Amino acid sequence: MKRPAVPPPARRMPILLGRLKEAYPDAACALVHQNPYQLLVATILSAQCTDARVNLVTPGLFGKYPDAARLARARQPDVERLIQSTGFFRNKAKNLAAMARSVVADHGGEIPRTMEALKALPGVGRKTANVVLGNAFGINEGVTVDTHVSRLSRLLRLTRHTDPVKIEKDLMELVPREDWTLVSHLLILHGRAVCIARRPKCGACVLADLCPSAKPN
Ligand code: SF4
């Protein structure tokens, strides 16, 4: 039997959001951090790496380099050794040092709190800036689009795009601004727990009746 067509994204989004909030009431940033500096460093390290792995590495790194000023003066091989297990460690160490030097030179050692200033830091793109603004400063400037957010947004037909910037724009139109940071956490958690890549558990999914990609299982 043919499935009835689901309503358009704008009608589904409030319901999807409500169900996800109910399913993941503790949704929050998975990168352990105490301040904007730590979150920025952790986010840079999280490229091509799991949050769990980053969380194993950051206590040692923050113990040795507790702020941007200290990191700016670090010897690259020392940083590389501490972050080695996160992968691409030479590049990441270089980016961390350049970012820290720029924070010291241009912002008095404090992590800036605007999209423009964050994006101007070496190794920081819109995605990283969104993570820091939303989670360290509580500023909903955009939606963080990672691989889960991108995949689920397409499966749920909240977007037809593959370009993260375009996906972000679509989500910003559908989701109330106060939930821009949260929606990303919710989709990531759902992508890890239920809507797993290549083996989504549609039969156990709270969004199944509103998901155009739902499969019987
Ligand atoms: S119904 Fe299936 S494809 Fe749709 S969001 Fe849920 S798990 Fe993913």
Side-chain angles (χ1 to χ4, degrees), residues 151-152 155-156 190 194-196 199-215 217:
R151 186 170 54 80
L152 268 71
L155 285 170
L156 288 162
H190 198 58
V194 179
C195 189
I196 301 158
R199 47 185 174 93
K201 302 179 194 167
C202 300
C205 179
V206 293
L207 311 180
D209 60 315
L210 292 173
C211 177
S213 310
K215 300 241 166 19
N217 67 5

Side-chain angles (χ1 to χ4, degrees), residues 140-169:
N140 283 302
E141 185 66 33
V143 177
T144 302
V145 177
D146 79 339
T147 156
H148 292 293
V149 175
S150 154
R151 186 170 54 80
L152 268 71
S153 298
R154 282 203 308 279
L155 285 170
L156 288 162
R157 296 267 214 288
L158 304 176
T159 186
R160 291 189 182 275
H161 294 293
T162 50
D163 172 18
V165 175
K166 290 183 181 162
I167 295 173
E168 180 183 359
K169 199 164 163 280

Side-chain angles (χ1 to χ4, degrees), residues 69-158:
R70 237 73 63 98
L71 187 58
R73 295 195 299 269
R75 286 182 59 246
Q76 178 142 343
D78 295 340
V79 177
E80 285 178 2
R81 208 172 314 117
L82 286 166
I83 66 168
Q84 195 159 5
S85 63
T86 68
F88 303 98
F89 62 95
R90 291 217 165 83
N91 221 18
K92 287 180 183 175
K94 215 182 288 171
N95 280 338
L96 287 177
M99 175 278 287
R101 283 196 297 269
S102 175
V103 165
V104 170
D106 304 330
H107 304 283
E110 297 294 320
I111 304 302
R113 48 167 68 218
T114 66
M115 173 61 76
E116 211 186 1
L118 280 165
K119 272 173 57 186
L121 298 173
V124 178
R126 184 171 175 90
K127 182 175 153 216
T128 298
N130 269 332
V131 172
V132 174
L133 288 171
N135 298 286
F137 292 121
I139 299 170
N140 283 302
E141 185 66 33
V143 177
T144 302
V145 177
D146 79 339
T147 156
H148 292 293
V149 175
S150 154
R151 186 170 54 80
L152 268 71
S153 298
R154 282 203 308 279
L155 285 170
L156 288 162
R157 296 267 214 288
L158 304 176

